[in-house]
Amino acid sequence: MEADLTPEVRVSPGPQGVAEEAADFLTAIFKDAARERGRFLLAVSGGSTPLPLFRLLASKGYSSKIDWGRVHLFWADERCVPPVHKDSNFGAANDALLSKVPIPKDNVHRIMGELPPDEAARAYEAELLRYFNRDGLPRFDLVLLGLGADGHTASLFPGSDALKERDRLAVSVYVEKLKSHRVTLTLPVINNTANVVFLVTGREKADVVKEVLSGEGAGRYPAGLVRPVDGRLAWLLDVAAAGGPGEGGPNL
Ligand code: 6PG
């Protein structure tokens, strides 16, 4: 019987509600992973959407729920800039979260955006292979993804050759419209994850959310190609990204 690939969709009133949902999701998965395997393997995305979540996780209410010594943090993607650059995904997570919680430095596996793009991708792959003991595809407990209005996720953009990559764990890409290089996990790694959670807020994402979640058009968008082979897929949206309120409320 075909596995049920219908993703779980939860709609919150606004960005803070999405952050709270995501924090509850994350702490629940953390508890299971820490209990069963003694560690929690997390990969996060960049952009603005995850920032309220990072701040929430750094707050007293949540930070104390997590044994940060058991958390190993990776990135789904990174901009090819130094870690202190304003566009660095590591830099944003460090400012909002990592600098405020007792996560051991060795548990933070950043993508070295300061290196030349392909070198950064290969160094990240080497880190993934080292950490996951080269036993096949890395399997994260949780990968947090965002969504661009063009349907990109991580740094997998529409039309990119990276979408066809089946062997590499991470690759560098040049994003023409952003005139910038990035490093991204590839789909085989993302789809080997136990829990993939999209965090999407804002009306400007409503059309692409509907397209991707509607099923038939999904394959046209990189985000629509995220289908965990043996894992859970959830979308945490605010009402605006879900297309409501309006004529009939959320359009999902
Ligand atoms: C990045 C992200 C990217 C992001 C989307 C949404 O490095 O920019 O990984 O995929 O998730 O572009 O960005 P916002 O959250 O800023 O809308």
Side-chain angles (χ1 to χ4, degrees), residues 45-50 77 79 89 145-148 152-155 182 205:
S45 287
S48 56
T49 305
D77 69 327
R79 289 81 178 278
N89 291 341
L145 293 175
L147 178 71
H152 82 260
T153 191
S155 283
R182 297 197 171 185
K205 309 283 177 79

Coordinates of all heavy atoms in Angstrom, one line a residue, residues 45-50 77 79 89 145-148 152-155 182 205, ligand 1:
S45 N 17.3 26.0 8.7 CA 17.4 26.8 7.5 C 17.7 28.2 7.9 O 17.7 28.6 9.1 CB 16.1 26.7 6.7 OG 16.0 25.5 6.0
G46 N 17.9 29.1 6.9 CA 18.2 30.5 7.2 C 17.0 31.3 6.9 O 15.9 30.8 7.0
G47 N 17.2 32.6 6.5 CA 16.1 33.5 6.2 C 15.5 34.0 7.5 O 16.0 33.7 8.6
S48 N 14.4 34.7 7.4 CA 13.8 35.4 8.6 C 12.8 34.6 9.3 O 12.6 34.7 10.5 CB 13.1 36.7 8.1 OG 12.1 36.3 7.1
T49 N 12.2 33.6 8.7 CA 11.1 32.9 9.3 C 11.5 32.2 10.6 O 10.8 32.2 11.6 CB 10.4 31.9 8.4 OG1 10.0 32.6 7.2 CG2 9.2 31.2 9.0
P50 N 12.7 31.5 10.6 CA 13.1 30.8 11.9 C 13.5 31.7 13.0 O 13.6 31.2 14.2 CB 14.3 29.9 11.4 CG 14.5 30.1 10.0 CD 13.7 31.3 9.6
D77 N 21.3 24.8 4.7 CA 22.0 25.6 3.6 C 22.7 26.8 4.3 O 22.5 27.1 5.4 CB 21.1 26.0 2.5 CG 20.1 27.1 3.0 OD1 19.7 27.1 4.1 OD2 19.7 28.0 2.2
R79 N 24.7 30.7 3.1 CA 25.2 31.6 2.0 C 26.7 31.6 2.1 O 27.3 31.4 3.1 CB 24.7 33.0 2.4 CG 23.1 33.2 2.1 CD 22.4 32.7 3.3 NE 20.9 32.9 3.2 CZ 20.3 34.1 3.5 NH1 21.0 35.1 3.9 NH2 19.0 34.2 3.4
N89 N 23.6 32.5 7.6 CA 22.6 31.8 8.4 C 23.1 31.3 9.7 O 22.4 31.4 10.7 CB 22.1 30.5 7.6 CG 21.3 30.9 6.3 OD1 20.8 32.0 6.2 ND2 21.2 30.0 5.4
L145 N 12.7 23.6 7.4 CA 12.9 24.2 6.1 C 12.0 25.4 6.0 O 11.0 25.5 6.7 CB 12.5 23.2 5.0 CG 13.4 22.0 4.9 CD1 12.8 21.0 3.8 CD2 14.8 22.4 4.4
G146 N 12.4 26.3 5.2 CA 11.6 27.5 4.9 C 11.1 27.3 3.4 O 11.4 26.3 2.7
L147 N 10.4 28.3 2.9 CA 9.9 28.3 1.6 C 10.0 29.7 1.0 O 9.6 30.7 1.6 CB 8.4 27.8 1.6 CG 7.7 27.8 0.3 CD1 8.2 26.6 -0.6 CD2 6.2 27.6 0.5
G148 N 10.6 29.7 -0.2 CA 10.6 31.0 -0.9 C 9.3 31.1 -1.8 O 8.7 30.1 -2.1
H152 N 11.4 27.7 -3.8 CA 12.7 27.1 -3.3 C 12.6 26.7 -1.9 O 11.8 27.3 -1.1 CB 13.8 28.0 -3.7 CG 14.0 29.1 -2.7 ND1 13.6 30.4 -2.9 CD2 14.7 29.1 -1.5 CE1 14.0 31.2 -1.8 NE2 14.6 30.4 -1.0
T153 N 13.5 25.8 -1.5 CA 13.7 25.5 -0.1 C 15.1 25.1 0.1 O 15.8 24.7 -0.8 CB 12.7 24.3 0.4 OG1 12.7 24.2 1.8 CG2 13.1 23.0 -0.3
A154 N 15.6 25.3 1.3 CA 17.1 25.3 1.6 C 17.7 26.2 0.5 O 17.2 27.3 0.3 CB 17.6 23.9 1.5
S155 N 18.7 25.8 -0.2 CA 19.1 26.6 -1.4 C 18.9 25.8 -2.7 O 19.8 25.7 -3.6 CB 20.6 27.0 -1.2 OG 20.6 28.1 -0.3
R182 N 25.7 29.7 -2.9 CA 25.3 29.1 -1.6 C 25.7 27.6 -1.6 O 26.1 27.0 -2.6 CB 23.7 29.1 -1.6 CG 23.2 30.6 -1.6 CD 21.8 30.6 -1.1 NE 21.2 31.9 -0.8 CZ 20.0 32.0 -0.3 NH1 19.3 30.9 -0.1 NH2 19.5 33.2 -0.1
K205 N 3.5 34.1 0.6 CA 3.8 32.7 0.3 C 2.6 31.9 0.0 O 2.6 30.7 -0.3 CB 4.5 32.1 1.6 CG 5.7 32.9 2.1 CD 7.0 32.7 1.3 CE 8.1 33.5 1.8 NZ 8.8 32.9 3.0
Ligands
6PG1 C1 18.0 30.8 3.1 C2 17.0 29.7 3.5 C3 15.9 29.8 2.4 C4 14.7 30.4 3.2 C5 13.6 30.9 2.2 C6 12.6 31.6 3.0 O1 19.2 30.5 3.4 O2 17.6 31.9 2.8 O3 17.4 28.5 3.8 O4 15.5 28.6 1.8 O5 14.2 29.4 4.0 O6 14.2 31.7 1.3 O7 13.2 32.8 3.6 P1 12.4 33.7 4.6 O8 12.2 32.9 5.8 O9 13.3 34.9 4.9 O10 11.1 34.1 4.0

